[in-house]
Amino acid sequence: MKILALGGLTLAAFVISAPAHADPLGATLLAQYFSVNLSDPDFPGPNATVASGSSLGPNGLPVASGNNDLTGSNEVTWWSPGFNPHVQATGTGLITLPYASNMFAPNSTGTDDANQFETAILTGNFSLAGQGTVTFNVGSDDDTFVYIDGVLFGQNPGIHAVTTVSFATPTLNAGTHQLKIFYADRQHVGAYLSLDVASDVVITPPSVPEPASWAMMLGGFGLVGGAMRSRRKAAVTFA
């Protein structure tokens, strides 16, 4: 039985070697929301085993083994309507930091996960003026996978009570880097996410697709899925 702390995922505090400020300005991530129906064998089901240092697969999904929902490239499909018939894209939005919300479908506006589970992808870009590292403190219930430039460097996987871990990136070069966080609620107890930044940073998400473009993207995922089935040391700016 899970013991909840704030009900679900708590993703807190980017800690960067810069002066700390309680209320950073202009901190925003792009959120893509999905719902997973209860017939999916992995909700609940076997845990995804994703190796630290592994790269995202050819379809931009975490690569794992020992899991039912896999493409031909062993990608976990909890965030892909094109590959997984149990998954439905429900919308996109902007998360402004500091952020705290239940993560109940649809689009974190629901009241429980009795009938469906929510998964989400959070994306943003950040720039380093010089070489440096970024440390993340992540508490999650359930799965969380954290990628920088498409490479996994931190995770809190599996169905579990809220637990908190700290991740430090490898030394990153000056320039722009991509942050991508994959989240999945997979048990009928609760779902929650909070996110804050402990440093004086600015975060700007990638462009939000227009509705028509988003529909075309989802259609493309469906076509690809069918084909697959048939065969800081310096000041930091998130931008």
Side-chain angles (χ1 to χ4, degrees):
M1 179 176 180
K2 294 200 279 190
I3 301 174
L4 293 182
L6 297 178
L9 175 67
T10 301
L11 177 60
F14 291 81
V15 182
I16 308 173
S17 53
H21 295 268
D23 297 306
L25 300 176
T28 310
L29 294 172
L30 172 65
Q32 298 167 256
Y33 297 103
F34 307 88
S35 65
V36 183
N37 65 49
L38 303 185
S39 61
D40 190 302
D42 286 349
F43 285 75
N47 293 332
T49 304
V50 183
S52 294
S54 62
S55 298
L56 291 171
N59 300 290
L61 300 170
V63 176
S65 60
N67 192 71
N68 290 339
D69 287 341
L70 300 175
T71 71
S73 302
N74 287 342
E75 291 171 290
V76 184
T77 61
W78 303 340
W79 308 270
S80 177
F83 290 106
N84 189 334
H86 305 288
V87 178
Q88 177 182 1
T90 58
T92 62
L94 297 178
I95 291 178
T96 301
L97 309 185
Y99 174 81
S101 173
N102 288 317
M103 296 293 285
F104 294 125
N107 308 335
S108 297
T109 64
T111 58
D112 60 46
D113 53 7
N115 299 311
Q116 57 190 337
F117 296 104
E118 179 164 283
T119 64
I121 304 173
L122 309 179
T123 309
N125 299 316
F126 63 92
S127 295
L128 298 176
Q131 282 192 337
T133 62
V134 182
T135 299
F136 298 82
N137 298 319
V138 178
S140 67
D141 172 2
D142 294 300
D143 303 80
T144 312
F145 303 98
V146 185
Y147 290 77
I148 294 291
D149 298 332
V151 177
L152 181 71
F153 80 94
Q155 61 179 314
N156 200 5
I159 297 174
H160 52 70
V162 176
T163 54
T164 302
V165 283
S166 295
F167 308 132
T169 68
T171 299
L172 302 173
N173 292 327
T176 301
H177 302 274
Q178 183 191 64
L179 166 67
K180 185 166 281 192
I181 301 165
F182 292 83
Y183 166 73
D185 167 38
R186 292 202 293 139
Q187 194 173 53
H188 297 297
V189 178
Y192 188 87
L193 180 146
S194 66
L195 174 62
D196 201 356
V197 180
S199 299
D200 190 9
V201 298
V202 176
I203 304 175
T204 303
S207 298
V208 180
E210 295 294 332
S213 299
W214 187 246
M216 290 178 63
M217 289 170 61
L218 294 179
F221 279 132
L223 291 175
V224 174
M228 289 292 294
R229 287 189 291 271
S230 67
R231 45 159 187 92
R232 199 157 89 196
K233 261 177 94 170
V236 179
T237 301
F238 281 71

